[in-house]
């Protein structure tokens, strides 16, 4: 037996079954019912799809009328991997005089010219000839002929029953047909050694079906579905075959590239490193250009190594890791000295994913670092500035909003799963660079060609750095040529500007090129245009675009009426865009392929392709629409040039066709919804068919997971989407693919993430019970009986915990972690490796401790951290735990304890813990965790009011993060931007702060979308910044955005970030005197602060302002409640708290029965804030002066050791309170203490003048130095005193001082001065 051992499509096994239509139904039934399911199972187990191609299920009238049956059958056979033919006594449809058959052959001759010699044969024999006899052994074949006796017996029975028509199915059509069948049998027998098997006389349909199945089964098991030799090498050859096929499809009829070839050839001839990027519009032929140039480059310099990769040409060709892996492998293969271990096999462990039921969870090394999101907030302190006098002011600064710092918990296992993917890419880059260096050593030039950078499957989504995976600094023996669409400005900017690639822009087709393409392409299909017709086409401006021209030629190639050709050309040329042309294509497809039985075939197929998320396979389309091969195949072949097939999935080859389909068939919402529901129904059945154990391969889960979720979101089916996403297997696939996309899908359901956690835990418990019962009853067999169901399914819960962390849902994390720890505890004695169970339990207890701290339960978190720390330390000391592992886990605990201290503002203790953690991570070179520690140490420095030190530390953390995440910018880097901004803001560098806040905001929106809670944090911080700039309108805008995000994410009102944001809003509104608007926000926040004990994180300014408002409006109970709570908060109470409490008591005195506790009194406030001016004034004015308590006042002032300035101030308050007598006594006693103090003497003059005791004032005036008195009031009082005592000359001297500065005096004082002068002038005249 000969024949290929490879599948034509590595993902699909197609087997062609050929027989006459009549008389062979029983074999087909036996195959379909009994044997096809076994072949399906075998293929599925190898990740391959089985397709049985059977063209005998009926020929449509349209296919017969168009005479395409033969062409369709043979083209389908070309796609197949095995030919199976079986015959009875009936020869089949044939006839040299049959016009229909001859038309069929005529239509197929262009592709199959050998048919000319077989015009008198049956269609079935034509299939036998094409499938085997034309080239025996080229295609694996099994051919069986049924024994004549069976047919004779069946025919006889049917004739006796009167069914003459049925009997004919088992009888030859005549002597000529019998001779042709005998000839066919002889030729088959002669070539039997080139087949899988030949059976010349099987007895009955069951025996025949069994023979066919046996031959197929043995070939699949022993040849076609096995890989000879090294598996990695087989994979390489499969991939290489895909690229060759892709190149071949792009190399035919390529015209117009000479100019670009010349430019690219300079790359080869250059003796230095060359880097080139081809940029083109879609459809301009960049892939064709490179496919042809690669061949040219290989031929022009056979010594050069040309490693090429066409992204999108095969199943895995679009992943960064596989691109690098394939390039490395091809370079290794081309080098003269092959390594014993290929670069590919070296990296198999890197590329391998962890088994879902293995020791590690399916999503391994995943999750944001605990605390990486919105952990703990640093509040702006209402610290008071020193006043110039000896008493400090209690007036709060107008910058009382909170900003949030982003803290980091360590967890190597809990680091974002993208870390591992980055690691894979980094390792492959290193291997590639190693091979490039080896090639340089061997004196080899290496040309790397990568086509289609715009098609990269981006694992990191929007947070990816453009082409970061593509090595930049390369040896001088290397040339790189890449291509990209002009719709990718970020990639082009990175390559051209940052990496200095030479840019070659592909222009439109020249007139001569267009002409040649038209002529040669049409000639291939046996068509030719007149000069005038050709000229009309190439003169159309739009035909400069290769895709536009290609569509026009394709449409003319299938047009059959020569007389109407001009009309057809005119119709096509009315199109002014590719989309217009696509509409013409759709109209033609509808006309050609809609049938009487299926009048909407084209519409239905194209609608399903358009609404699908990833595309659809042939099998999916045929099953959904119940299409027979004769209906499907003609349409598929007609669509071939308009679709692409990648990994078996059919999708539109260019976006304009998809848009045309949407506009023509899906313009109405109900049309799109109907198509989506059709797909949903199909894939939901697939989803329900999966069993949780053993966990299906992700390749099987992909289709329902990817299609269902996006389709349900598309039509806003929230219930359906909830069902899909809460399915643990769908969740397992989706979180492994992209957790950010899963996050957005869940958000569209309107469920809270706490509810989502509960759903998953409930689903897990249900699955656990089901698996246990099924295994107990022997209905399913586990892969490893040594592992109980709970152990095997644990990875699902671990994924949920990671997802809750990523969603910043602390309560969801806690609930999931409690279930995980409970499960691990319950598995004691059932887990084969007890040490492994204990280690996992300790890890998840660590996560739980972190979540406790996140929720503000510091005591419980600290206790759990210490418990876990003890476990790891004891294990390391006893040798029961690997030292490196134990030390790393201890480092986590140090970091967790550090955060516990940090949250409680125990900064010194926190820094010690962080530095202990850092030392271990640096020892073991854990870059990411070391960056976390530096971040947290930076926050400690902020807490210690050392912003400059913090900035340097955050910069080091940022450097480490960027080194670790070299190919992406995850939102964890945005957290560092936040902290840098916070440090700059604390250092009063507001412009730099805003720059980093904006960077953080943009990055986080890019990473997680605009409505994730971490984006709210960014808005909140920007609001704080603008609070410092006193731009309260901006503050309100940013804060409203943050509140909106928290609201739509349904954060609980107790969530720290949410209530702090509300307090910021209250603060902002108060700054704008919008007190009534601020009140609801305040009371929401105040309730949480009291109930949960968070007064230490409040904004005192907000509390004071609201309380002051209530005092002013006689709402004394509310004011009392606020101020009492604040007075008992050691961290946040201020002098103003006690000041307002005293004002409250003055306006609403408490009874003697219920006096205010001492801790809430003015006296206690003065003990805490002894130098506060407002408290001092309140005590003197209200409690002593207003009550006339002179002795108490003197005692109070003496006890304070008051200076002269204080006495002057007290005297002023006495005057303001209308107590001149007390003022005189106070100033008199002050002068006894400070007899030479000019300020007090002047004040004394003012007091005695006020009570008109000028005689007492006169000697004091005489003690004053007029040059040393700067108070205009005192000068006026001195002048009056002297005038009253008839010392007019001296009075004039004092008055003169006032007159020289008359312009700066108040209006009232001006009048007094002028009046005194007039009076003195009048007296002088007398």
């Amino acid at each position: 037996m000969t024949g290929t051992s490879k599948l034509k499509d590595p993902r699909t096994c197609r087997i062609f079954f050929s027989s006459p239509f009549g008389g062979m139904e029983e074999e087909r039934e036996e195959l379909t019912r009994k044997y096809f399911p076994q072949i399906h199972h075998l293929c599925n187990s190898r990740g391959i799809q089985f397709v049985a191609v059977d063209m005998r299920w009926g020929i449509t009238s349209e296919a017969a009328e168009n005479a395409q049956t033969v062409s369709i059958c043979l083209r389908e056979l070309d796609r197949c991997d095995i030919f199976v033919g079986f015959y009875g006594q009936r020869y089949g449809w044939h006839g040299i005089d049959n016009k229909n058959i001859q038309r069929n052959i005529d239509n197929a001759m262009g592709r199959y010219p050998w048919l000319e010699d077989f015009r008198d044969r049956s269609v079935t024999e034509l299939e036998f000839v094409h499938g085997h006899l034309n080239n025996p052994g080229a295609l694996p074949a099994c051919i069986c002929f049924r024994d004549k006796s069976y047919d004779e017996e069946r025919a006889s029975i049917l004739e006796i029953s009167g069914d003459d028509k049925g009997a004919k199915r088992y009888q030859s059509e005549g002597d000529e047909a019998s001779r042709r069948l005998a000839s066919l049998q002889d030729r088959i027998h002669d070539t039997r050694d080139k087949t899988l098997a030949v059976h010349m006389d099987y007895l009955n349909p069951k025996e025949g079906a069994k023979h066919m199945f046996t031959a197929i089964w043995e070939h699949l098991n022993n040849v076609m579905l096995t890989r000879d030799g090294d598996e990695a090498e087989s994979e390489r050859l499969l991939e290489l075959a895909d690229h060759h096929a892709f190149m071949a499809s792009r190399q035919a009829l390529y015209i117009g590239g000479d100019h670009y070839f010349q430019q690219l050839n300079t790359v080869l001839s250059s003796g230095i490193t060359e880097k080139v990027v081809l940029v083109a519009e879609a459809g301009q032929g960049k892939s064709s250009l490179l496919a042809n140039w690669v061949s040219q480059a290989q031929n022009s310099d056979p010594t050069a190594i040309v490693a090429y990769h066409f992204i999108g040409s095969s199943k895995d060709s679009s992943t960064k890791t596989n691109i690098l892996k394939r390039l490395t492998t091809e370079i290794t293969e081309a080098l003269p000295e092959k390594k014993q271990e290929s670069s590919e096999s070296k990296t198999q462990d890197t590329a391998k994913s962890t088994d879902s039921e293995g020791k590690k969870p399916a999503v391994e090394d995943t999750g944001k670092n605990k605390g990486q999101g919105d952990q703990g907030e640093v509040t702006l302190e209402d610290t008071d500035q020193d006043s110039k006098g000896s008493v400090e002011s209690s007036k709060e600064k107008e910058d009382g909003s909170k900003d949030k710092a982003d803290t980091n918990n360590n967890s190597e296992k809990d680091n974002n799963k993208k870390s591992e993917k980055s690691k894979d890419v980094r390792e492959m880059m290193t291997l590639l660079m190693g091979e490039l260096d080896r090639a340089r050593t061997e004196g080899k030039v290496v040309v790397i060609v990568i086509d289609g950078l715009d098609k990269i499957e981006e694992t990191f989504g929007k947070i990816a750095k453009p082409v970061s995976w593509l090595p930049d600094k390369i040896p001088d023996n290397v040339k790189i040529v890449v291509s990209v669409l002009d719709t990718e400005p970020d990639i082009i900017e990175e390559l051209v500007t940052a990496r200095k690639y030479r840019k070659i822009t592909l222009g439109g087709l020249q007139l001569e090129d267009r002409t040649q393409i038209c002529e040669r392409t049409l000639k291939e299909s046996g068509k030719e245009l007149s000069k005038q017709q050709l000229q009309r086409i190439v003169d159309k401006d739009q035909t400069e675009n290769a895709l536009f021209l290609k569509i026009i030629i394709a449409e003319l190639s299938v047009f059959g009426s020569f007389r109407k050709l001009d009309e057809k050309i005119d119709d096509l040329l009315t199109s002014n865009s590719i989309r217009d042309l696509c509409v013409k294509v759709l109209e033609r497809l509808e006309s050609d392929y809609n049938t009487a039985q299926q009048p909407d075939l084209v519409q239905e197929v194209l609608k399903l392709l358009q609404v699908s998320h990833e595309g659809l396979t042939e099998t999916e389309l045929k099953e959904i629409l119940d299409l027979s091969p004769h209906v499907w195949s003609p349409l598929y072949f007609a669509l071939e040039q308009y679709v692409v097939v990648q990994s078996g999935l059919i999708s539109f080859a260019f976006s304009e066709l998809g848009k045309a389909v949407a506009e023509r068939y899906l313009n109405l919402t109900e049309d799109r919804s109907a198509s989506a529901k059709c797909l949903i129904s199909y894939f939901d059945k697939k989803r329900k068919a999966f069993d949780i154990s053993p966990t299906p391969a992700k390749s099987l889960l992909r289709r329902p997971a990817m299609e269902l979720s996006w389709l349900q979101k598309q039509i806003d089916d929230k219930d359906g989407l909830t069902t899909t996403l809460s399915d643990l297997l769908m969740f397992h696939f989706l979180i492994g693919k992209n957790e950010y996309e899963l996050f957005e899908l869940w958000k569209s359901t309107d469920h809270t993430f706490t509810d989502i956690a509960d759903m998953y835990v409930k689903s897990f418990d249900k699955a656990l019970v089901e698996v246990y019962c099924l295994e107990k009853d022997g209905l399913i067999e586990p892969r490893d009986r040594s592992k109980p169901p709970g152990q095997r399914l644990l990875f699902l819960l671990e994924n949920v915990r990671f997802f809750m962390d990523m969603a910043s849902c602390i309560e969801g994390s806690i609930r999931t972690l409690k279930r995980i720890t409970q499960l691990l505890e319950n598995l004691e004695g059932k887990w084969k490796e007890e040490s492994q169970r204990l280690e996992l339990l300790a890890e998840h207890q660590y996560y739980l401790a972190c979540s406790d701290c996140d929720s503000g339960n510091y005591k419980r978190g600290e206790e759990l951290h210490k418990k876990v720390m003890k476990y790891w330390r004891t294990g390391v000391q006893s040798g029961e735990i690997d030292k490196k592992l134990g030390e790393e886990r201890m480092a986590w605990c140090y970091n967790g304890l550090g955060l516990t201290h940090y949250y409680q503002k125990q900064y010194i203790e926190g820094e010690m813990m962080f530095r202990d953690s850092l030392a271990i991570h640096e020892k073991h070179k854990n870059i990411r965790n070391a960056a976390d520690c530096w971040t947290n140490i930076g926050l400690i420095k902020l807490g210690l009011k050392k912003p400059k030190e913090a900035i340097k530390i955050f910069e080091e953390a940022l450097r480490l993060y960027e080194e670790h995440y070299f190919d992406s910018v995850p939102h964890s880097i945005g957290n560092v931007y936040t902290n840098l901004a916070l440090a700059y803001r604390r250092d009063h560098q507001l412009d730099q702060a805003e720059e980093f806040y904006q960077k953080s905001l943009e990055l986080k929106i890019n990473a997680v979308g605009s409505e994730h809670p971490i984006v709210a944090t960014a808005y909140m911080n920007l609001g704080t910044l603008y609070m410092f700039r006193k731009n309260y309108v901006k503050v309100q805008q940013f804060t409203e955005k943050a509140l909106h995000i928290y609201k739509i994410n349904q954060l609980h009102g107790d969530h720290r970030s949410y209530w702090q944001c509300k307090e910021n809003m209250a603060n902002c509104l108060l700054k704008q005197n919008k007190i009534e608007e601020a009140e609801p926000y305040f009371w929401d926040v105040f309730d949480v602060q009291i109930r949960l004990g968070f007064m230490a994180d409040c904004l005192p300014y907000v509390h004071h302002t609201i309380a002051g408002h209530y005092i002013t409006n006689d709402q004394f109970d509310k004011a009392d409640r606020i101020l009492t709570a604040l007075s008992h908060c050691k961290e946040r109470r201020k002098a103003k708290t006690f000041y307002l409490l005293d004002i409250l008591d003055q306006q609403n005195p408490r009874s003697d029965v219920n006096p205010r506790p001492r801790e809430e009194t003015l006296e206690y406030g003065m003990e805490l804030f002894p130098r506060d001016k407002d408290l001092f004034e309140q005590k003197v004015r209200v409690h002593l002066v207003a009550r006339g308590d002179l002795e108490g006042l003197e005692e109070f002032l003496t006890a304070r050791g008051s200076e002269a300035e204080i006495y002057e101030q007290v005297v002023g308050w006495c005057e303001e309170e209308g107590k001149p007598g007390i003022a005189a006594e106070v100033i008199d006693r002050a002068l006894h203490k400070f007899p030479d103090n000019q300020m007090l003497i002047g004040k004394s003059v003012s007091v005695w003048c006020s009570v008109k005791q000028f005689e007492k004032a006169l000697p004091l005036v005489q003690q004053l130095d007029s040059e040393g008195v700067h108070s205009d009031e005192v000068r006026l009082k001195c002048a009056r005193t002297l005038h009253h005592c008839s010392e007019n000359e001296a009075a004039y001297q004092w008055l003169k001082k006032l007159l020289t500065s008359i312009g700066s005096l108040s209006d009232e004082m001006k009048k007094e001065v002028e009046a005194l002068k007039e009076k003195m002038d009048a007296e002088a005249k007398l």
Side-chain angles (χ1 to χ4, degrees), residues 735-779:
I735 198 167
K737 182 180 181 296
N738 190 315
E739 69 272 25
Y740 293 127
E741 289 180 356
L742 178 61
F743 174 82
E744 290 299 322
L745 287 168
W746 263 121
K747 274 180 59 180
S748 66
T749 67
D750 295 335
H751 289 292
T752 68
F753 280 92
T754 302
D755 290 342
I756 293 167
D758 289 340
M759 286 184 212
Y760 280 133
V761 171
K762 184 177 180 181
S763 294
F764 176 84
D765 289 338
K766 181 181 178 182
L768 194 60
V769 171
E770 287 178 358
V771 172
Y772 176 81
C773 293
L774 289 171
E775 289 183 4
K776 184 179 179 182
D777 296 340
L779 297 177

Side-chain angles (χ1 to χ4, degrees), residues 682-695:
Y682 174 80
F683 285 109
D684 203 41
K685 291 176 184 176
K686 300 283 187 185
R687 176 188 69 81
K688 292 174 180 176
F690 291 124
D691 293 321
I692 195 74
S693 181
T695 305

Side-chain angles (χ1 to χ4, degrees), residues 393-460:
S393 170
S394 70
K395 289 186 175 147
E396 295 151 326
K397 300 191 302 181
E398 301 202 356
D399 54 7
S401 288
K402 300 181 182 72
D403 41 18
K404 278 177 61 62
D406 288 317
T407 56
N408 294 331
N409 283 328
N410 281 159
S411 166
E412 178 183 287
K413 190 174 184 178
D414 198 35
N415 280 346
N416 196 299
K417 64 180 177 178
K418 294 180 175 52
S419 303
E420 198 60 35
K421 294 174 184 176
S422 294
K423 180 182 175 185
D424 291 347
V425 173
R426 193 193 301 268
E427 288 179 353
M428 288 311 309
M429 288 176 68
T430 302
L431 286 172
L432 175 59
M433 291 302 295
E435 292 304 274
L436 293 177
D437 282 333
R438 193 161 76 88
R440 180 176 57 180
T441 303
E442 297 288 346
K444 293 284 186 179
V445 172
V446 179
V447 182
I448 294 175
V449 179
I450 305 174
D451 174 55
L453 294 180
D454 47 281
K455 300 176 187 174
I456 287 284
E457 182 181 317
E458 191 46 74
T459 307
F460 300 114

